[in-house]
Amino acid sequence: MRTDDDDALLRGCAFGDRGALRLLYDRWSARLYGIALRITNRPDLAADALQDAFIQVWQHAGRFDPARGSAAGWLIAQARYRALDLIRRHGRETP
């Protein structure tokens, strides 16, 4: 997996290229799901975190700046933050 390819795909997402989002999803979904699953320890929450992360990627890909970090790091951060948010939210719920 080449970093410059991921950078280009994120730029494509920023311009509304659905094909770029599909390629990013195909490349990264398994890895990001695994990260979310390790954080949440629940497959349902990990799946929700993955979905939320890709919604963020689609809506905010224009915020990615390759001068500040790698596309991989940015994508992993999206999944990590979404997973942590879900843990916080579900930790407050009463059964």
Side-chain angles (χ1 to χ4, degrees), residues 3 7 10 64-74:
T3 301
D7 291 354
L10 282 171
F64 169 68
D65 180 2
R68 294 181 60 199
S70 69
W74 193 79

Side-chain angles (χ1 to χ4, degrees), residues 6-72:
D6 292 332
D7 291 354
L9 290 173
L10 282 171
R11 280 193 305 276
C13 289
F15 289 107
D17 181 352
R18 291 175 187 221
L21 181 65
R22 168 50 69 190
L23 286 172
L24 273 177
Y25 184 87
D26 290 345
R27 283 185 184 186
W28 283 95
S29 61
R31 184 177 299 166
L32 298 180
Y33 175 79
I35 290 167
L37 184 59
R38 277 184 296 228
I39 292 170
T40 63
N41 206 29
R42 287 181 48 188
D44 60 327
L45 291 182
D48 288 348
L50 180 66
Q51 179 180 353
D52 291 348
F54 274 98
I55 289 170
Q56 291 296 311
V57 168
W58 180 248
Q59 293 176 341
H60 302 291
R63 293 181 182 174
F64 169 68
D65 180 2
R68 294 181 60 199
S70 69

